[in-house]
Amino acid sequence: MTFGEQPAYLRVASDLREKIANGSLPPHTRLPSQARIREEYGVSDTVALEARKVLMAEGLVEGRSGSGTYVRERPVPRRIARSGYRPASGASPFRQEQAAEGARGTWESRSEQEPASAEVAERLGIEPGERVMRTRYVYRDGGEPMMVSTSWEPLAVTGRTPVMLPEEGPLGGCGVVERMAAIDVVVDNVVEEVGARPGLAEELLALGGVPGHVVMVVERTYYASGRAVETADVVVPADRYRIAYHLPVR
């Protein structure tokens, strides 16, 4: 094989990736051994090993202790809908999506006070160390973990009010817009920035992923007259879900 200017291990990884994609190496098939790769492609053991590492980092194959490396079954990505439309019920985005898709969604949450980190403080426009209410969620669809989310609300806004705990009280679970309206804070804008990165260990543990898997992260912030009243990181496994936006035409 002629490798040209591209590193040899990337060319080997690309060829094996193509075989996985076209079904020549179907799910649960054992990947060719390091010796077999070396012989077939005329490369060194180091190149063969690095090519296998690339495929593992991409989540295409997985190692099984004492057995070898196998092609992973690739899930068909499912859609998570995001919408600029908010019904009169004031439901949270996840509850809207579950109702719209007819999904069997469940979630669990835990709230606790903490000092704002420098990053959270910057997003909320407050000083580092100011108290915030942090709420962590794990969302499931049919029992399968699909999304984890962490939100922060400045206690300067919600402290000592009936909506201080997002999932408790008379408006527990109603979503940021309706909860804030109950304390005369009118949310008039929301900004979402979508990016991708390797999942953190605790995120992948909650989502059932393995080290190296990529996640999509939606950084969401709600504003009232230019003041941030809630910011959140919504984390979704990139190999299992796609985020679809439905934006109203004004």
Side-chain angles (χ1 to χ4, degrees), residues 116-117 121 125-131:
S117 67
I126 62 177
E127 292 296 321
E130 287 192 33
R131 305 297 291 179

Side-chain angles (χ1 to χ4, degrees), residues 104-140:
R104 299 166 293 158
T106 60
W107 52 89
E108 58 194 53
S109 65
R110 179 180 178 181
S111 296
E112 57 186 344
Q113 297 184 34
E114 68 177 19
S117 67
E119 179 185 359
V120 168
E122 182 178 2
R123 287 164 59 173
L124 289 173
I126 62 177
E127 292 296 321
E130 287 192 33
R131 305 297 291 179
V132 295
M133 183 66 71
R134 182 192 68 199
T135 304
R136 289 180 172 168
Y137 298 86
V138 177
Y139 298 98
R140 293 182 172 85

Side-chain angles (χ1 to χ4, degrees), residues 87-110:
S89 66
S92 70
F94 179 74
R95 290 168 174 81
Q96 290 182 50
E97 293 149 10
Q98 293 290 299
E101 300 296 322
R104 299 166 293 158
T106 60
W107 52 89
E108 58 194 53
S109 65
R110 179 180 178 181

